[in-house]
Amino acid sequence: MRPKNRSTAAPVRSSKTARKAGRRHPLATVALLAIGLGLTGGAYAAFTTTTASADEPAAATSQSSVDEGKKLFESNCATCHGLQAQGSSVAPSLIGVGAAAVDFQVGTGRMPMQMQGPQAQEKPVQFTDDQVKALAAYVASLAPGPSIPEQKYLDGKGNAARGAELFRINCAMCHNVAGAGGALTEGKYAPPLTGVSAQHIYEAMITGPQNMPVFNDLNISPQGKADIITYLKYIQNNPSPGGFELGSLGPVAEGLFLWIFGLGAIVALTVWITAKSN
């Protein structure tokens, strides 16, 4: 047998030695990470320092509004809703209702309630606009909830035809197709929508006050809500093409009008003809 060639063992050892010589120190990776984190943290600190002066006034204003709202709540609302807005036997919890619910209920005068009844009635507003915003800010700080809608959905520039279709499908069975309102059960009612601000209409849809269901963004999209508002403002600002609308209450009002005046005219004419013949 031919002896094994051992000359190849030396290059193998030299290759391993070269790899060992070129290997990084075990702490090199840690050092690189520390340098990277230090640079990132320094850049972030520099950025936040330059913007702190702009953010602090807004945060202070927001907190002051929340504090003012808490004082107003404890003075005017806690008797029924509880000191922590947890609710009671006579009023529901306000935790999670959001700023939109407070802005609607207080901004339309429904709250504080004048007396217990089937539902809160609209009356003159008891607070200024700033106080209403402060109350809304305080309740919103308790837990997440529907917020006050953006102005772009309230300008009345949506699709009135699509809004009319959505309104007939979702709202007309209670509010009437012309938004004139209607009676419900047990002394409750759907109020008329004429003269109601676009913001309050939107807030009613997302919070579901009284007996109204909640129409979240999965039921009716924000643009769909804007279209409904456009339709309601259109019929409010344009006269009825059919002439005297009789309160827009539909066939009931029209039938009552014919029954009283039409039948009354026939009776009066009959009496006159009989008296004439005699």
Side-chain angles (χ1 to χ4, degrees), residues 32-84:
L32 289 174
L33 287 175
I35 293 171
L37 290 174
L39 292 174
T40 304
Y44 178 77
F47 177 77
T48 53
T49 301
T50 58
T51 58
S53 59
D55 293 340
E56 284 175 2
T61 302
S62 176
Q63 186 58 46
S64 65
S65 181
V66 170
D67 294 339
E68 178 64 22
K70 183 177 182 180
K71 293 177 183 178
L72 290 169
F73 182 88
E74 291 173 348
S75 302
N76 300 275
C77 315
T79 303
C80 296
H81 291 283
L83 284 173
Q84 305 300 324

Side-chain angles (χ1 to χ4, degrees), residues 207-231:
T207 61
Q210 313 298 334
N211 304 283
M212 183 172 172
V214 175
F215 295 100
N216 58 34
D217 291 347
L218 295 178
N219 302 127
I220 302 177
S221 67
Q223 186 56 50
K225 295 181 178 73
D227 293 339
I228 290 176
I229 291 172
T230 302
Y231 164 69

Side-chain angles (χ1 to χ4, degrees), residues 152-199:
K152 64 181 180 180
Y153 298 120
L154 311 177
D155 56 11
K157 297 180 180 179
N159 188 327
R162 184 170 179 270
E165 181 181 0
L166 289 171
F167 188 85
R168 287 194 298 269
I169 294 172
N170 298 282
C171 317
M173 66 285 295
C174 295
H175 288 282
N176 178 285
V177 72
L184 302 176
T185 60
E186 300 178 356
K188 303 170 185 176
Y189 61 92
L193 301 178
T194 54
V196 182
S197 71
Q199 180 168 313

